[in-house]
Amino acid sequence: MEEDDGRLRALLTAMRAQADARVRATAAILTELTHDREGSNDDDEHDPEGVTLSSEWSRLTGLAEAAASELQQVDDALARMDAGTYGVCLNCVRPIPAARLEVRPFAEYCVACAEKLGH
């Protein structure tokens, strides 16, 4: 099991780096887009050329929120590993099956509890 824990920690660490990179990238693009919006009095909603600033803002905001959520889930899973509670369902306190952790390494609930709780 110790080998599995090491592999899962490595997977979570890689996932964390990827999510963190996406958070930083979307934040930088949103900052640039904010700057572009401030300097423009154009009516981009009626511009026939390409994507509007508003739609790009919405798309990027959604991506930023998804990346931040994943980063938090991974950080929480790593904290559970450090606390020795990783792989234990937060609802029924039974072990989360290894197959579930392979697919969803930041899982907080076993399949039965996740379905029951709507997660």
Side-chain angles (χ1 to χ4, degrees), residues 11-24 67 70-71:
L11 178 60
L12 284 165
T13 301
M15 289 176 76
R16 188 190 191 292
Q18 293 169 353
D20 186 55
R22 286 196 322 275
V23 166
R24 291 174 188 272
E70 183 178 331
L71 182 60

Side-chain angles (χ1 to χ4, degrees), residues 44-113:
D44 76 329
E45 294 301 320
H46 297 96
D47 183 358
E49 303 291 324
V51 178
T52 65
L53 289 176
S54 296
S55 1
E56 187 65 1
W57 179 267
S58 294
R59 184 184 75 79
L60 288 169
T61 300
L63 290 173
E65 289 171 358
S69 175
E70 183 178 331
L71 182 60
Q72 186 62 56
Q73 289 175 332
V74 170
D75 282 345
D76 291 348
L78 288 168
R80 287 192 305 278
M81 274 188 166
D82 293 341
T85 60
Y86 180 78
V88 176
C89 179
L90 296 179
N91 188 55
C92 70
V93 197
R94 292 186 185 133
I96 298 171
R100 176 159 171 77
L101 292 173
E102 288 291 328
V103 173
R104 190 175 171 90
F106 46 81
E108 297 175 310
Y109 303 99
C110 66
V111 174
C113 289

